[in-house]
Amino acid sequence: MQGQTFTVAGSSDYPVCDCCGKTNLTRAVIVRNEEAEEFNVGCICASKLLRQMYRGKRHKVSPDAVLSMGKAASASSAWKQRNGWSPSHLVAA
């Protein structure tokens, strides 16, 4: 997987992680890099891949937060407009 900035593009039912190769995933999300390539990633790999800056350090995002971002990205456009959702760009470490 190549890229520095990733965006969670939605949730996924595909059972294979493109990051580590693990099969039989029950929780996965789709992440998109700055070149618009999409990858199916398990929530544990996504939590390590997606980082947020806090007080000068990069911290992992929790797996539950990753799943929440995936569900929000997969939601309808009416829900997104009503709740003011916008994709967040997270930086890979």
Side-chain angles (χ1 to χ4, degrees):
M1 295 182 50
Q2 296 178 354
Q4 292 297 316
T5 306
F6 292 89
T7 304
V8 178
S11 58
S12 172
D13 293 331
Y14 188 66
V16 179
C17 178
D18 291 337
C19 185
C20 69
K22 182 178 178 181
T23 59
N24 201 15
L25 294 176
T26 57
R27 304 181 304 172
V29 294
I30 300 167
V31 294
R32 184 179 300 134
N33 66 5
E34 62 271 2
E35 297 172 1
E37 296 174 325
E38 292 186 346
F39 304 98
N40 184 64
V41 181
C43 68
I44 301 296
C45 287
S47 72
K48 294 175 186 174
L49 179 69
L50 302 173
R51 307 277 179 157
Q52 290 184 328
M53 291 297 291
Y54 179 71
R55 294 192 178 186
K57 291 186 177 181
R58 291 185 181 175
H59 297 276
K60 293 189 294 187
V61 178
S62 73
D64 291 332
V66 169
L67 290 175
S68 178
M69 285 185 254
K71 289 178 184 177
S74 295
S76 69
S77 60
W79 181 90
K80 290 177 185 178
Q81 185 178 20
R82 183 173 57 244
N83 292 302
W85 181 86
S86 63
S88 57
H89 295 282
L90 302 173
V91 179

